Structures are given as C-alpha cells and as structure tokens.
Amino acid sequence: MEGTKKPLVLASVMLAMFVSAVEATIVSTAMPSIAAELGGFSKYSWVFSAYLLMSTVTVLLYGKLSDIFGRKRIFAVGMLLFLLGSLLCGLANSIDELIFYRFIQGMGAGAVMPIATTIVGDIYSREERAKIQGYLSSVWGISAVTGPAIGGILVVTIGWEYVFWINLPLGIISLLGVLLFLKEPVNTKKPVIDYKGAALLTAALSTMLYLLVEGGVSFDWFSTKSLILLTASILFFVLFIWAERKAVDPMMPFEIWRNKTIFYANLVSLTNGVILIAISSYLPTYVTGVMEQPAAIAGFTLTAMSVGWPLAAFFSGRLLLKIGYFKTSIAGGAFLLIGSLLFVLMQPGFGPLWAAMSSFSIGLGMGLTSTVFIVAIQAAVSYEQRGSATASNMFMRNLGSTIGVALLGSILNSSLLRYFADSGQNYSLSAINDLLSADARAGIQVESLRFLQQALAESLQHVYLVTAFFALLSFILIFGLRGKKGVKSRVK
C-alpha cells in the first residue's frame, strides 16, 4: 500500500502478536493461583470459555467489517475493547466477575490477531508473505516464551492482577503504530453488515458451549436439558447457514470453502485449536496440583511450547518455499501427534522435564502448521476477500479451542466426580482448589492429599487421551492438502 511505512507497521503488528501471545500463556500460568484466591474450581474452564466464545463469535464479523471499513478502524475497536477487558479482569473480586470481564476481553481479542495477520498479507507480496508470516509466528512464540515466566514471577510477587494489566502499555503502543503508519486505499464499498448471521452464530455457540461445560456436572448428559440444548444449538447452526446463504454480504462467505486449500487448512486448524487449549489450559494445573511445583515452574513447562513454536515457524516459511505446503504440514502434524502421546504417557513421578518435553513437541507442530495455513489461505483469495478468508481460519482455530475448553473441562469435572463417587469419598470439585496453592496443600492430611492428587492426575489423563484423538484426526486431515506446491511455483 502506497504511503505505508512497512517496518513500523510490522513492528506494531508484532506488538499486537505479543499481546496475544502473553494472553495465551500468562493467564493459564496464573489460573491455579487465581482459582485458589477467588475460589470456584468448578467454573475454572469458564474463565477460558468466556474469552474464547466471544473471540470466536466476533472474529468472522471483524474480518468482514475490516473488508468493508478498512483494517485500521476495526483493529482500533478490537484493541480498545481488549484493553478495557484486560483492565477490568485485574479488578475482579470474584470468579463470576472475572468470567464476565473475560467476555469483554474476548470481544476485543476477536479483532487483534486476525486483522494484524491480514495487514501483513496486504502490505507484502505473496512471496514475501512466506518469510514474513514465519517471522510473525516466530515473534509470537518468542514473546510467548517470556509470558509464562513473567506470569509466574508476577503471581508470587505483586499479584495475579498484573498478568492482565501488562497488556495495557503494549496494546496502546501497538494501536498507535497501526493508526499512524498504515495507509489504506479508500473504500467506496457500501456497508452491508450481517447482523442476523452474527446473532445466530452467537446463539448456536453459546448453547453448545453451555452444554459442553455443564453437561455431566450440573445435569446429566442424557437428561431432557441436554437434549433441549443440543437441539437448540443444531437449530441455530442450521439457521446460521441458511441466513449466510441468503445474505447479500455474509460474514462467512461459504464460496471460499470450495477452495480445497482453505477447506482442509480450516479443518486442521479446528482440531489444532482443541490441542492448543488442552495443553495451555490444563498443563499448569497438572504441574502445580499433581507435581507440587510452583507457578514459575508450571510456567516454564508452557514456555517449552513457546520455544518450539517460533523455532519451527522460523523454518516453516523456508520449508514451504522448498518442499510445499503438504510436506511441511505433515511434519507439523507428526510433531503434534508425538507430543500428545507423550502427555498421555505422563505420570506424576516423571517431573516437569517430561511435561516440558511434551509441550516442546506440541510447539514444533503448531509452528510448522500455523504459518503454512495462513500463507496458503491468503494466496488463494483476492484482497477483497483476504480479511474474511484469514478470519475464517482464525475462527476455526478459535472454535476448536472453544469446543475444546468446554468439552475437556466437562470431561475433567465429570471424571473427578466419578472418581470421588467410585472411591466412596464425599469430596466436591472445590476440594481441588486446595491443591493449587502450596499453603493450602500444607494444611491437607497426607492421605487426603495423595487421594486428591491421584484423582486429578487420572482425570487429566482422560483429557490428554481426548487430545491425542484430535491430534490423530489432525494428522489424517492434513492429507487433504496433498499435491500443494511451494509458494515460488505459484508466483511464477
């Protein structure tokens, strides 16, 4: 784009990626401490679900709005909402307040990552994107390396509130950089906003999320309430698809899904979203509650994933230029499968080093696949559809994470309750809160402590078994990209 100061815009986008990276890891590291202070372990997954629900619902709408009104305006709206939510999260006095503020934060987050990625797709050529997107993924991962460590330090020094407030200065600098240095073409397109589609998608995801989070905990899976929620969710999804096909300018243009590259890349992103949230949400719980490690060590096990991610992303841009989309993606899928199997085999006595090694393998897989998918999708569409196409991929990964955190949270809670019942012990889910703090653990009798830790370890192993299933599914779906060549061959 003429007049755009590319280096400064790229630096601003990198800061936006940093904010997203910190959000993805630093909150997970702090959650055991937050749950220990605010209580409500049964609502643990809702802290993630609230954020993911709103970011998933809004990502498609933001993508479409950015095609209509331009990247700068929508990026600004999203970043301001994200920063407001971050401020309020740090002021929360209860788990319910935190969940509500996470809705606001997620509402803004739906714009930050996809539009930042789209901006790079706009200002660089197709061949340049392969390297630049690799750099972006690397920066995302490298910055995420500091997230868990900073999170652990903040929690044990000045308090968990600052894991949210650290977003504020960085987000403001990123926002100013994009507003000042990005020059966009004048858009004469008449705005047509698909509010009906947005409302129906919100209703569909909300009912599905409530069913997945509370099913098997607040009500039985095979109850009338479950059937009503499932029916309502399916109905809203059907109505959403119907509305999108009728819309003049739909938020989800289904014609782009006819492209084989977009179709399979988005499906794999869906499964990868489940894997990502499973590790980032529940690994700190395992390391803190079962292995009895402090928050800083729990953070460093996640840091291993953040090391593997940029390392693989740095090479993925070069690999897809040489060996193509398919082979690069297959390598990433293999690392995801290996990492998930290592988590299945993990035992409490293996220590945090095993957890870090498993996390590192997942990071390698994510780094290889994420860069390839963005470059492939942006190369498959025109400028006018690039925002929607990029958002569709972000939507699918967010949807996977939304489904994953709800489904896996339900599996964890129901597994714990079943373990308590089968053992004849009258514990509730709130008993797990005491495992997440060293001071609280010190007050538990040794026999009770070992029982609760065994319950948590076995229940989390169920979570990792489901994660391994999605990793296998991801690996199989990647074969749909077979035959896709490198970027150079497309440019020529």
Side-chain angles (χ1 to χ4, degrees):
M1 297 180 186
E2 188 176 349
T4 293
K5 297 181 180 179
K6 291 184 181 181
L8 294 176
V9 172
L10 182 60
S12 301
V13 167
M14 287 178 177
L15 268 183
M17 297 290 185
F18 180 85
V19 170
S20 298
V22 166
E23 178 60 31
T25 56
I26 200 170
V27 176
S28 299
T29 306
M31 268 311 297
S33 299
I34 294 173
E37 180 176 327
L38 300 183
F41 183 81
S42 62
K43 297 179 180 179
Y44 188 102
S45 62
W46 271 111
V47 176
F48 298 99
S49 297
Y51 177 86
L52 288 167
L53 173 63
M54 292 312 299
S55 61
T56 301
V57 168
T58 56
V59 69
L60 288 176
L61 185 60
Y62 284 133
K64 174 57 64 178
L65 290 175
S66 76
D67 286 338
I68 297 173
F69 296 107
R71 320 300 187 208
K72 286 168 63 172
R73 291 185 187 178
I74 307 307
F75 180 82
V77 170
M79 180 61 82
L80 288 172
L81 278 173
F82 176 80
L83 295 178
L84 174 63
S86 297
L87 174 65
L88 293 173
C89 283
L91 298 173
N93 293 312
S94 68
I95 197 73
D96 292 323
E97 279 188 25
L98 180 61
I99 290 169
F100 177 73
Y101 297 146
R102 289 280 281 175
F103 274 108
I104 299 174
Q105 194 184 30
M107 194 182 300
V112 175
M113 181 68 86
I115 296 181
T117 307
T118 303
I119 288 171
V120 171
D122 292 340
I123 65 177
Y124 289 98
S125 68
R126 180 182 295 176
E127 188 170 12
E128 288 174 321
R129 279 179 224 142
K131 294 180 180 179
I132 297 298
Q133 292 290 359
Y135 295 152
L136 283 183
S137 293
S138 298
V139 170
W140 191 94
I142 291 170
S143 59
V145 168
T146 62
I150 293 173
I153 294 170
L154 291 177
V155 167
V156 299
T157 54
I158 55 179
W160 59 262
E161 298 89 350
Y162 289 86
V163 304
F164 297 105
W165 291 343
I166 196 173
N167 295 330
L168 300 179
L170 300 172
I172 291 171
I173 294 171
S174 171
L175 176 59
L176 289 175
V178 171
L179 291 178
L180 292 174
F181 303 119
L182 177 64
K183 306 299 180 184
E184 294 183 296
V186 178
N187 196 336
T188 57
K189 196 174 181 181
K190 185 179 178 181
V192 180
I193 303 174
D194 183 20
Y195 292 114
K196 183 187 293 185
L200 288 170
L201 182 62
T202 302
L205 290 176
S206 299
T207 50
M208 178 186 67
L209 191 67
Y210 186 77
L211 171 63
L212 291 174
V213 172
E214 298 297 333
V217 181
S218 297
F219 50 85
D220 191 78
W221 281 111
F222 300 102
S223 65
T224 302
K225 190 171 184 177
S226 292
L227 180 61
I228 292 172
L229 287 169
L230 177 61
T231 303
S233 182
I234 293 173
L235 177 61
F236 283 129
F237 270 119
V238 170
L239 289 174
F240 169 69
I241 294 171
W242 176 81
E244 293 303 277
R245 292 186 178 279
K246 297 286 187 182
V248 175
D249 200 359
M251 61 184 288
M252 171 65 88
F254 287 109
E255 65 268 15
I256 65 175
W257 286 72
R258 293 174 187 152
N259 183 291
K260 181 182 175 183
T261 299
I262 294 177
F263 179 75
Y264 282 103
N266 284 352
L267 286 182
V268 177
S269 293
L270 176 76
T271 57
N272 285 1
V274 177
I275 299 167
L276 181 61
I277 200 66
I279 307 308
S280 60
S281 297
Y282 297 110
L283 181 57
T285 304
Y286 193 103
V287 176
T288 302
V290 179
M291 294 182 176
E292 298 188 13
Q293 299 294 326
I297 298 298
F300 280 119
T301 60
L302 272 185
T303 298
M305 180 170 68
S306 302
V307 171
W309 192 312
L311 186 65
F314 179 79
F315 290 106
S316 66
R318 290 157 175 74
L319 282 175
L320 69 88
L321 285 170
K322 293 181 178 179
I323 64 176
Y325 300 117
F326 174 64
K327 290 181 180 178
T328 307
S329 300
I330 279 291
F335 278 114
L336 289 174
L337 189 56
I338 292 168
S340 64
L341 291 175
L342 288 174
F343 276 115
V344 171
L345 297 173
M346 183 168 63
Q347 297 294 323
F350 288 1
L353 187 60
W354 182 281
M357 179 177 63
S358 309
S359 180
F360 179 74
S361 182
I362 294 291
L364 290 176
M366 289 293 176
L368 286 171
T369 55
S370 60
T371 304
V372 173
F373 294 158
I374 290 296
V375 174
I377 286 171
Q378 291 186 344
V381 295
S382 63
Y383 171 85
E384 289 74 19
Q385 287 189 317
R386 193 172 294 141
S388 297
T390 303
S392 74
N393 186 255
M394 299 290 180
F395 167 78
M396 291 301 283
R397 190 167 74 181
N398 285 355
L399 179 61
S401 293
T402 304
I403 294 172
V405 75
L407 176 63
L408 298 174
S410 178
I411 289 171
L412 174 60
N413 288 344
S414 59
S415 296
L416 282 167
L417 291 173
R418 187 165 56 250
Y419 189 93
F420 295 156
D422 292 345
S423 302
Q425 300 291 329
N426 190 27
Y427 284 105
S428 66
L429 292 174
S430 61
I432 301 298
N433 289 329
D434 295 333
L435 295 181
L436 307 180
S437 165
D439 292 337
R441 283 196 302 269
I444 307 176
Q445 293 183 349
V446 174
E447 185 177 340
S448 297
L449 178 64
R450 296 293 170 249
F451 172 80
L452 290 172
Q453 287 178 327
Q454 184 65 28
L456 182 58
E458 290 195 13
S459 298
L460 283 171
Q461 191 171 46
H462 295 159
V463 169
Y464 293 134
L465 279 169
V466 175
T467 305
F469 166 77
F470 279 99
L472 177 60
L473 182 59
S474 176
F475 186 77
I476 293 170
L477 286 170
I478 288 173
F479 281 88
L481 293 172
R482 184 184 298 172
K484 302 306 291 182
K485 304 298 182 184
V487 176
K488 280 185 177 179
S489 64
R490 294 177 64 91
V491 175
K492 293 176 182 177

